[in-house]
Amino acid sequence: MVTEKRLRKVHKVLLSLTFLQLILWGVSGLYMVVMDIEFIRGSPFKAPVQILTADKVNVSPHRALAAIEEPISIRLAMLANTPVYFVNDDKHTRLIDASTGEFIENISENLASNIASALYRANGDAPAIASIKLYTDVAPDELPTSLLPAWQVQFDDGFNTRFYIHANTGELLRVRHQYWRLFDFMWQLHIMDYDDGADVDNPLLSVFIISTLISLLTGISLMVIHFRRQSHKHKRQACIYQDTHTKGSYQDTHVMSSYQDTHVKGSYQNTQSDEQKKIFFGKNNRRCVSNRKSRIKRNARTWHRNLAILSIIPLTLWLLSGAFFNFIEVHIRSDYPLNAGTDTATLPLTSEAMIDLLSLKKILRGQGNIVEVELLPDGHFIDFQGLLLVSSEEKSRLFNTKTLKALVIDEQLAMKLLLTIHSFSREQITAHLVADGGEDLPGFNEDIWQVNINDDIGTSFYVDKYSGKLYGPYNRYTRMKSLFLRIHFNDYAGDIGFNHWWNVLLALMYLMSCCAGTYYLFTFVRNKLTLRTTRSKKQHKRQVA
């Protein structure tokens, strides 16, 4: 039979082995919920996307088309205050100055510094560049190797901010600063992956999750035992109090009243004898120190218990959701279905899909605040000869390159767009218009086409009604992952994130409970060692005598 003594022993042993990691979980989790995730990602350091102006565009897309034999897409955007065509094929990206028509062969050191300075958000001029370095083979720890080659541009701004600029396309890859680096270090401590911080299913984390779950269950059992004991104690005291008053013991009541009056008047100390004062304030002062330490120890245990009671439910959910990501999530098919059909990006652009310079300038002037224009491949498979994706600061719209009219995706077109990327049969899919993205796209609040796949895991895709952008796939596995992610972040609505006051409060309570429990455990072990040392000394004295 499992007794209270055994439960308490298991609880203390497990916590003595895992207390350091429990505190690290609390410290790292508190830092991550306190720091705004957008600040960590570097959004405040990035300037707004530059607006395309029609007056600066002097080269037609036809000239950009001749840059590569079989281009698959042409994109027009600003690069360091200059409109540039990004012409892509299957392997390369060529840059053409849209003002002069000249090729930008490579991103030089000077151009990389100009691009970084133009992308840096500042009230006046961008801060001075402290250093610039090109990485071609080995990437720094804060940048994936797959993004090389890249220029690292570090600013002298007090945050050690670094912009990573792609050495071929000039695009901004990553923004890193000292608070991001501390965030990354905290993340490594949180998932116990001290290599690259990407392995959430490492065995060390699995061992600590199981140990913490067992200690949590023993702690809950001890709480239940404690509350039962307190309930019985209150019942016994109530019975004694009722029996005393029923008998009408005036003398006992009078004695109790005198005792209370004595304490209220603060004269209890004066009623002590000189011998008692010597015990407390003279000869036996060590007893006072011992009593004070015992009182601190009891308070630490009380704080540990009370804070654990307040945070027991979110702590349990944290551990269970963490166990899901550690044991289960890595083994499910969350990426099904893979791209099995013809990808739009592999279809070649033809001259029929082009748009002339005058029409392009007309769209730039007519729409306003355009930040990017992209010519998509020949659209004969969806009954159009060419598509133009125009993106502004607020939204994106799809245009017909011949009529220059904005397209509104209907049911048939939504399904055709999906079939160009994934090889489903027409009978296997159905589409209907929904008011928002629901639980799959919680931040999308406009009409969007939901295309459902008739399979055994409930796969769905979403097609934007105006831009034709495809979102997905979403299925039973991705929704399960999203659910446990919301549970771990205490974000049950799915649109708050984890940077809210409730998470900060819970993290503080959890950390304080861990610290109080650690102090109680430390004093418990210290007292045990002191008692064992005292016994061994007494035994040694007896042997000597």
Side-chain angles (χ1 to χ4, degrees):
M1 181 178 178
V2 180
T3 61
E4 179 185 359
K5 185 177 181 180
R6 290 181 179 178
L7 286 173
R8 197 174 298 279
K9 184 176 181 180
V10 171
H11 189 69
K12 290 178 179 178
V13 169
L14 288 176
L15 290 182
S16 64
L17 297 175
T18 61
F19 77 94
L20 182 59
Q21 182 58 40
L22 293 178
I23 294 177
L24 290 177
W25 277 342
V27 172
S28 58
L30 181 62
Y31 178 82
M32 288 189 287
V33 298
V34 167
M35 298 300 295
D36 183 15
I37 188 61
E38 291 301 323
F39 173 76
I40 294 298
R41 290 169 179 167
S43 298
F45 298 95
K46 292 188 288 186
V49 183
Q50 293 180 333
I51 306 299
L52 280 169
T53 56
D55 296 336
K56 290 186 177 181
V57 180
N58 300 319
V59 177
S60 67
H62 287 278
R63 290 182 59 183
L65 179 65
I68 296 180
E69 293 183 359
E70 293 186 355
I72 58 176
S73 68
I74 296 178
R75 183 169 57 90
L76 176 64
M78 296 295 289
L79 183 67
N81 302 315
T82 302
V84 173
Y85 284 110
F86 297 83
V87 187
N88 300 314
D89 61 6
D90 287 335
K91 299 180 180 179
H92 304 95
T93 299
R94 298 291 300 274
L95 276 61
I96 301 175
D97 191 326
S99 298
T100 63
E102 297 179 356
F103 285 96
I104 303 175
E105 296 297 340
N106 54 21
I107 305 298
S108 62
E109 178 178 338
N110 185 42
L111 181 56
S113 61
N114 291 337
I115 293 172
S117 298
L119 293 175
Y120 190 96
R121 182 192 292 267
N123 295 328
D125 296 334
I129 294 177
S131 64
I132 182 169
K133 184 178 181 181
L134 177 63
Y135 289 90
T136 56
D137 299 323
V138 181
D141 295 336
E142 54 193 23
L143 186 72
T145 306
S146 58
L147 298 179
L148 295 180
W151 287 98
Q152 181 197 77
V153 183
Q154 180 167 333
F155 292 95
D156 186 13
D157 59 354
F159 295 96
N160 292 327
T161 307
R162 295 172 183 170
F163 279 25
Y164 287 92
I165 308 297
H166 199 283
N168 294 333
T169 64
E171 295 176 293
L172 179 62
L173 301 174
R174 295 288 188 274
V175 177
R176 298 291 185 250
H177 50 85
Q178 59 188 18
Y179 293 100
W180 181 92
R181 297 178 193 102
L182 182 56
F183 189 96
D184 185 61
F185 176 68
M186 291 294 179
W187 169 252
Q188 292 180 358
L189 294 179
H190 205 72
I191 67 171
M192 305 184 71
D193 180 16
Y194 308 106
D195 183 16
D196 57 357
D199 187 9
V200 296
D201 62 332
N202 61 82
L204 185 61
L205 181 60
S206 304
V207 171
F208 273 83
I209 286 178
I210 294 174
S211 302
T212 308
L213 280 172
I214 296 175
S215 63
L216 178 65
L217 293 176
T218 56
I220 293 175
S221 303
L222 291 172
M223 283 184 191
V224 173
I225 294 173
H226 170 75
F227 284 123
R228 284 183 177 179
R229 184 184 294 113
Q230 290 294 108
S231 177
H232 293 324
K233 180 179 179 181
H234 291 322
K235 287 181 180 179
R236 288 196 301 269
Q237 289 178 348
C239 292
I240 295 173
Y241 179 80
Q242 186 176 3
D243 293 342
T244 303
H245 279 264
T246 302
K247 294 177 182 179
S249 177
Y250 174 78
Q251 182 177 359
D252 293 341
T253 305
H254 180 69
V255 171
M256 179 66 70
S257 177
S258 301
Y259 177 78
Q260 291 177 348
D261 291 342
T262 303
H263 275 267
V264 170
K265 294 177 182 178
S267 59
Y268 176 70
Q269 183 178 348
N270 297 329
T271 60
Q272 290 179 321
S273 64
D274 293 339
E275 186 65 26
Q276 289 175 324
K277 291 180 180 179
K278 288 181 180 179
I279 292 176
F280 282 96
F281 303 106
K283 293 182 179 180
N284 210 357
N285 191 40
R286 286 178 297 178
R287 183 178 298 179
C288 295
V289 176
S290 178
N291 290 339
R292 185 167 62 253
K293 289 183 178 180
S294 299
R295 186 169 61 254
I296 295 175
K297 179 183 175 182
R298 289 193 302 270
N299 291 338
R301 182 172 60 181
T302 303
W303 274 96
H304 174 69
R305 183 191 299 121
N306 294 339
L307 290 171
I309 292 171
L310 293 174
S311 59
I312 190 66
I313 295 178
L315 178 58
T316 305
L317 295 177
W318 284 340
L319 285 173
L320 292 178
S321 56
F324 168 80
F325 290 109
N326 184 258
F327 295 104
I328 303 174
E329 190 266 337
V330 293
H331 302 294
I332 62 179
R333 297 183 301 163
S334 60
D335 58 345
Y336 171 86
L338 298 174
N339 287 4
T342 303
D343 195 335
T344 303
T346 63
L347 296 173
L349 276 169
T350 63
S351 58
E352 295 181 353
M354 285 295 100
I355 184 173
D356 58 74
L357 182 60
L358 292 178
S359 299
L360 179 60
K361 288 190 174 186
K362 182 179 179 180
I363 288 181
L364 292 177
R365 291 191 180 101
Q367 295 300 315
N369 296 331
I370 303 300
V371 298
E372 183 178 281
V373 175
E374 183 176 4
L375 281 162
L376 299 178
D378 191 347
H380 65 274
F381 49 87
I382 52 174
D383 304 326
F384 294 102
Q385 290 183 337
L387 296 175
L388 189 69
L389 183 62
V390 179
S391 302
S392 64
E393 293 178 310
E394 296 82 17
K395 58 184 179 180
S396 299
R397 293 298 302 266
L398 203 60
F399 288 81
N400 187 328
T401 57
K402 297 303 179 182
T403 63
L404 300 184
K405 291 183 179 180
L407 301 178
V408 177
I409 308 297
D410 58 11
E411 179 182 357
Q412 296 299 321
L413 189 53
M415 291 188 290
K416 286 181 179 180
L417 284 171
L418 176 62
L419 293 176
T420 61
I421 300 178
H422 297 285
S423 58
F424 300 112
S425 64
R426 178 63 181 81
E427 295 76 16
Q428 196 179 359
I429 63 175
T430 57
H432 61 279
L433 192 65
V434 294
D436 52 50
E439 64 174 354
D440 293 332
L441 294 172
F444 200 96
N445 300 317
E446 298 181 356
D447 292 346
I448 190 170
W449 287 101
Q450 181 179 3
V451 184
N452 298 320
I453 312 299
N454 185 18
D455 58 9
D456 57 345
I457 58 173
T459 303
S460 297
F461 290 84
Y462 293 86
V463 180
D464 192 341
K465 183 180 178 180
Y466 300 104
S467 68
K469 185 176 181 180
L470 188 67
Y471 301 90
Y474 300 95
N475 50 52
R476 183 185 308 159
Y477 303 120
T478 59
R479 295 181 185 110
M480 184 187 303
K481 179 179 178 180
S482 177
L483 173 63
F484 278 97
L485 199 62
R486 294 199 303 269
I487 290 175
H488 200 73
F489 292 159
N490 295 308
D491 181 18
Y492 306 108
D495 56 356
I496 302 175
F498 58 86
N499 293 124
H500 51 90
W501 66 270
W502 178 244
N503 259 348
V504 176
L505 181 61
L506 289 176
L508 279 173
M509 288 194 299
Y510 166 77
L511 185 58
M512 291 172 64
S513 176
C514 287
C515 292
T518 301
Y519 177 80
Y520 171 76
L521 185 64
F522 172 76
T523 55
F524 175 81
V525 173
R526 184 185 61 186
N527 292 341
K528 285 287 186 180
L529 294 176
T530 303
L531 182 61
R532 182 175 298 179
T533 304
T534 304
R535 287 178 178 175
S536 62
K537 287 182 179 180
K538 290 182 179 180
Q539 186 177 3
H540 179 69
K541 288 182 179 180
R542 292 194 194 100
Q543 292 176 355
V544 172

